[in-house]
PDB file of all heavy atoms in Angstrom:
ATOM      1  N   PHE A  36     -48.181  22.883 -58.419  1.00  0.00           N
ATOM      2  CA  PHE A  36     -46.740  22.812 -58.628  1.00  0.00           C
ATOM      3  C   PHE A  36     -46.389  23.000 -60.103  1.00  0.00           C
ATOM      4  O   PHE A  36     -45.475  23.752 -60.452  1.00  0.00           O
ATOM      5  CB  PHE A  36     -46.220  21.470 -58.119  1.00  0.00           C
ATOM      6  CG  PHE A  36     -44.759  21.261 -58.361  1.00  0.00           C
ATOM      7  CD1 PHE A  36     -43.815  21.903 -57.577  1.00  0.00           C
ATOM      8  CD2 PHE A  36     -44.323  20.427 -59.367  1.00  0.00           C
ATOM      9  CE1 PHE A  36     -42.464  21.710 -57.802  1.00  0.00           C
ATOM     10  CE2 PHE A  36     -42.978  20.233 -59.600  1.00  0.00           C
ATOM     11  CZ  PHE A  36     -42.046  20.879 -58.818  1.00  0.00           C
ATOM     12  N   ILE A  39     -47.007  26.730 -61.107  1.00  0.00           N
ATOM     13  CA  ILE A  39     -46.099  27.728 -60.550  1.00  0.00           C
ATOM     14  C   ILE A  39     -44.651  27.568 -61.043  1.00  0.00           C
ATOM     15  O   ILE A  39     -43.858  28.518 -60.959  1.00  0.00           O
ATOM     16  CB  ILE A  39     -46.152  27.694 -59.008  1.00  0.00           C
ATOM     17  CG1 ILE A  39     -45.673  29.005 -58.437  1.00  0.00           C
ATOM     18  CG2 ILE A  39     -45.337  26.560 -58.449  1.00  0.00           C
ATOM     19  CD1 ILE A  39     -45.927  29.158 -56.964  1.00  0.00           C
ATOM     20  N   THR A  40     -44.302  26.421 -61.577  1.00  0.00           N
ATOM     21  CA  THR A  40     -42.919  26.157 -61.980  1.00  0.00           C
ATOM     22  C   THR A  40     -42.369  27.175 -62.986  1.00  0.00           C
ATOM     23  O   THR A  40     -41.292  27.734 -62.760  1.00  0.00           O
ATOM     24  CB  THR A  40     -42.784  24.723 -62.515  1.00  0.00           C
ATOM     25  OG1 THR A  40     -43.111  23.822 -61.457  1.00  0.00           O
ATOM     26  CG2 THR A  40     -41.377  24.428 -62.990  1.00  0.00           C
ATOM     27  N   PRO A  41     -43.036  27.478 -64.094  1.00  0.00           N
ATOM     28  CA  PRO A  41     -42.438  28.442 -65.029  1.00  0.00           C
ATOM     29  C   PRO A  41     -42.380  29.873 -64.475  1.00  0.00           C
ATOM     30  O   PRO A  41     -41.492  30.643 -64.832  1.00  0.00           O
ATOM     31  CB  PRO A  41     -43.349  28.395 -66.259  1.00  0.00           C
ATOM     32  CG  PRO A  41     -44.459  27.505 -65.947  1.00  0.00           C
ATOM     33  CD  PRO A  41     -44.238  26.876 -64.625  1.00  0.00           C
ATOM     34  N   PHE A  42     -43.303  30.216 -63.562  1.00  0.00           N
ATOM     35  CA  PHE A  42     -43.316  31.568 -63.011  1.00  0.00           C
ATOM     36  C   PHE A  42     -42.259  31.774 -61.929  1.00  0.00           C
ATOM     37  O   PHE A  42     -41.937  32.898 -61.575  1.00  0.00           O
ATOM     38  CB  PHE A  42     -44.702  31.898 -62.452  1.00  0.00           C
ATOM     39  CG  PHE A  42     -45.766  31.910 -63.510  1.00  0.00           C
ATOM     40  CD1 PHE A  42     -46.717  30.911 -63.555  1.00  0.00           C
ATOM     41  CD2 PHE A  42     -45.794  32.908 -64.478  1.00  0.00           C
ATOM     42  CE1 PHE A  42     -47.690  30.911 -64.537  1.00  0.00           C
ATOM     43  CE2 PHE A  42     -46.761  32.912 -65.461  1.00  0.00           C
ATOM     44  CZ  PHE A  42     -47.715  31.915 -65.501  1.00  0.00           C
ATOM     45  N   SER A  43     -41.745  30.682 -61.385  1.00  0.00           N
ATOM     46  CA  SER A  43     -40.735  30.798 -60.333  1.00  0.00           C
ATOM     47  C   SER A  43     -39.331  30.550 -60.878  1.00  0.00           C
ATOM     48  O   SER A  43     -38.412  30.277 -60.115  1.00  0.00           O
ATOM     49  CB  SER A  43     -41.029  29.799 -59.213  1.00  0.00           C
ATOM     50  OG  SER A  43     -40.871  28.481 -59.702  1.00  0.00           O
ATOM     51  N   TYR A  44     -39.193  30.687 -62.197  1.00  0.00           N
ATOM     52  CA  TYR A  44     -37.909  30.434 -62.864  1.00  0.00           C
ATOM     53  C   TYR A  44     -37.377  29.055 -62.508  1.00  0.00           C
ATOM     54  O   TYR A  44     -36.188  28.856 -62.303  1.00  0.00           O
ATOM     55  CB  TYR A  44     -36.877  31.510 -62.506  1.00  0.00           C
ATOM     56  CG  TYR A  44     -37.292  32.885 -62.960  1.00  0.00           C
ATOM     57  CD1 TYR A  44     -37.747  33.815 -62.046  1.00  0.00           C
ATOM     58  CD2 TYR A  44     -37.243  33.218 -64.298  1.00  0.00           C
ATOM     59  CE1 TYR A  44     -38.142  35.076 -62.452  1.00  0.00           C
ATOM     60  CE2 TYR A  44     -37.639  34.476 -64.725  1.00  0.00           C
ATOM     61  CZ  TYR A  44     -38.086  35.398 -63.797  1.00  0.00           C
ATOM     62  OH  TYR A  44     -38.477  36.637 -64.216  1.00  0.00           O
ATOM     63  N   PHE A  45     -38.272  28.105 -62.409  1.00  0.00           N
ATOM     64  CA  PHE A  45     -37.965  26.702 -62.157  1.00  0.00           C
ATOM     65  C   PHE A  45     -37.301  26.465 -60.798  1.00  0.00           C
ATOM     66  O   PHE A  45     -36.712  25.422 -60.558  1.00  0.00           O
ATOM     67  CB  PHE A  45     -37.128  26.116 -63.301  1.00  0.00           C
ATOM     68  CG  PHE A  45     -37.838  26.211 -64.621  1.00  0.00           C
ATOM     69  CD1 PHE A  45     -37.598  27.273 -65.488  1.00  0.00           C
ATOM     70  CD2 PHE A  45     -38.774  25.252 -64.977  1.00  0.00           C
ATOM     71  CE1 PHE A  45     -38.280  27.357 -66.694  1.00  0.00           C
ATOM     72  CE2 PHE A  45     -39.453  25.336 -66.186  1.00  0.00           C
ATOM     73  CZ  PHE A  45     -39.203  26.391 -67.040  1.00  0.00           C
ATOM     74  N   LEU A  46     -37.411  27.445 -59.903  1.00  0.00           N
ATOM     75  CA  LEU A  46     -36.901  27.291 -58.543  1.00  0.00           C
ATOM     76  C   LEU A  46     -37.711  26.247 -57.773  1.00  0.00           C
ATOM     77  O   LEU A  46     -37.180  25.564 -56.890  1.00  0.00           O
ATOM     78  CB  LEU A  46     -36.943  28.636 -57.804  1.00  0.00           C
ATOM     79  CG  LEU A  46     -36.416  28.641 -56.386  1.00  0.00           C
ATOM     80  CD1 LEU A  46     -34.918  28.339 -56.399  1.00  0.00           C
ATOM     81  CD2 LEU A  46     -36.674  29.974 -55.727  1.00  0.00           C
ATOM     82  N   SER A  47     -38.973  26.092 -58.123  1.00  0.00           N
ATOM     83  CA  SER A  47     -39.813  25.117 -57.430  1.00  0.00           C
ATOM     84  C   SER A  47     -39.306  23.687 -57.642  1.00  0.00           C
ATOM     85  O   SER A  47     -39.527  22.828 -56.790  1.00  0.00           O
ATOM     86  CB  SER A  47     -41.262  25.247 -57.871  1.00  0.00           C
ATOM     87  OG  SER A  47     -41.363  25.113 -59.266  1.00  0.00           O
ATOM     88  N   ILE A  48     -38.616  23.434 -58.742  1.00  0.00           N
ATOM     89  CA  ILE A  48     -38.041  22.109 -58.957  1.00  0.00           C
ATOM     90  C   ILE A  48     -36.933  21.853 -57.935  1.00  0.00           C
ATOM     91  O   ILE A  48     -36.826  20.758 -57.379  1.00  0.00           O
ATOM     92  CB  ILE A  48     -37.517  21.951 -60.402  1.00  0.00           C
ATOM     93  CG1 ILE A  48     -38.697  21.984 -61.372  1.00  0.00           C
ATOM     94  CG2 ILE A  48     -36.717  20.665 -60.562  1.00  0.00           C
ATOM     95  CD1 ILE A  48     -38.320  21.985 -62.825  1.00  0.00           C
ATOM     96  N   LEU A  49     -36.129  22.872 -57.654  1.00  0.00           N
ATOM     97  CA  LEU A  49     -35.088  22.729 -56.630  1.00  0.00           C
ATOM     98  C   LEU A  49     -35.701  22.533 -55.247  1.00  0.00           C
ATOM     99  O   LEU A  49     -35.191  21.759 -54.435  1.00  0.00           O
ATOM    100  CB  LEU A  49     -34.169  23.951 -56.637  1.00  0.00           C
ATOM    101  CG  LEU A  49     -33.316  24.135 -57.892  1.00  0.00           C
ATOM    102  CD1 LEU A  49     -32.533  25.432 -57.814  1.00  0.00           C
ATOM    103  CD2 LEU A  49     -32.393  22.950 -58.070  1.00  0.00           C
ATOM    104  N   VAL A  50     -36.808  23.222 -54.978  1.00  0.00           N
ATOM    105  CA  VAL A  50     -37.500  23.056 -53.699  1.00  0.00           C
ATOM    106  C   VAL A  50     -38.043  21.634 -53.592  1.00  0.00           C
ATOM    107  O   VAL A  50     -37.952  21.006 -52.533  1.00  0.00           O
ATOM    108  CB  VAL A  50     -38.629  24.100 -53.548  1.00  0.00           C
ATOM    109  CG1 VAL A  50     -39.487  23.812 -52.341  1.00  0.00           C
ATOM    110  CG2 VAL A  50     -38.037  25.497 -53.471  1.00  0.00           C
ATOM    111  N   TYR A  51     -38.583  21.105 -54.678  1.00  0.00           N
ATOM    112  CA  TYR A  51     -39.090  19.733 -54.684  1.00  0.00           C
ATOM    113  C   TYR A  51     -37.963  18.744 -54.379  1.00  0.00           C
ATOM    114  O   TYR A  51     -38.123  17.828 -53.567  1.00  0.00           O
ATOM    115  CB  TYR A  51     -39.731  19.403 -56.032  1.00  0.00           C
ATOM    116  CG  TYR A  51     -40.409  18.061 -56.068  1.00  0.00           C
ATOM    117  CD1 TYR A  51     -41.738  17.946 -55.725  1.00  0.00           C
ATOM    118  CD2 TYR A  51     -39.720  16.911 -56.425  1.00  0.00           C
ATOM    119  CE1 TYR A  51     -42.383  16.712 -55.738  1.00  0.00           C
ATOM    120  CE2 TYR A  51     -40.336  15.678 -56.445  1.00  0.00           C
ATOM    121  CZ  TYR A  51     -41.674  15.593 -56.102  1.00  0.00           C
ATOM    122  OH  TYR A  51     -42.293  14.372 -56.111  1.00  0.00           O
ATOM    123  N   ILE A  52     -36.821  18.937 -55.026  1.00  0.00           N
ATOM    124  CA  ILE A  52     -35.673  18.047 -54.806  1.00  0.00           C
ATOM    125  C   ILE A  52     -35.203  18.136 -53.356  1.00  0.00           C
ATOM    126  O   ILE A  52     -34.880  17.126 -52.732  1.00  0.00           O
ATOM    127  CB  ILE A  52     -34.539  18.365 -55.796  1.00  0.00           C
ATOM    128  CG1 ILE A  52     -34.987  17.990 -57.213  1.00  0.00           C
ATOM    129  CG2 ILE A  52     -33.256  17.624 -55.438  1.00  0.00           C
ATOM    130  CD1 ILE A  52     -34.067  18.470 -58.305  1.00  0.00           C
ATOM    131  N   ALA A  53     -35.191  19.350 -52.798  1.00  0.00           N
ATOM    132  CA  ALA A  53     -34.814  19.512 -51.393  1.00  0.00           C
ATOM    133  C   ALA A  53     -35.804  18.794 -50.480  1.00  0.00           C
ATOM    134  O   ALA A  53     -35.404  18.161 -49.490  1.00  0.00           O
ATOM    135  CB  ALA A  53     -34.734  20.992 -51.045  1.00  0.00           C
TER     136      ALA A  53
END
Side-chain angles (χ1 to χ4, degrees):
F36 177 76
I39 202 169
T40 298
F42 296 109
S43 66
Y44 298 105
F45 301 95
L46 181 65
S47 56
I48 294 174
L49 294 176
V50 171
Y51 186 90
I52 292 170

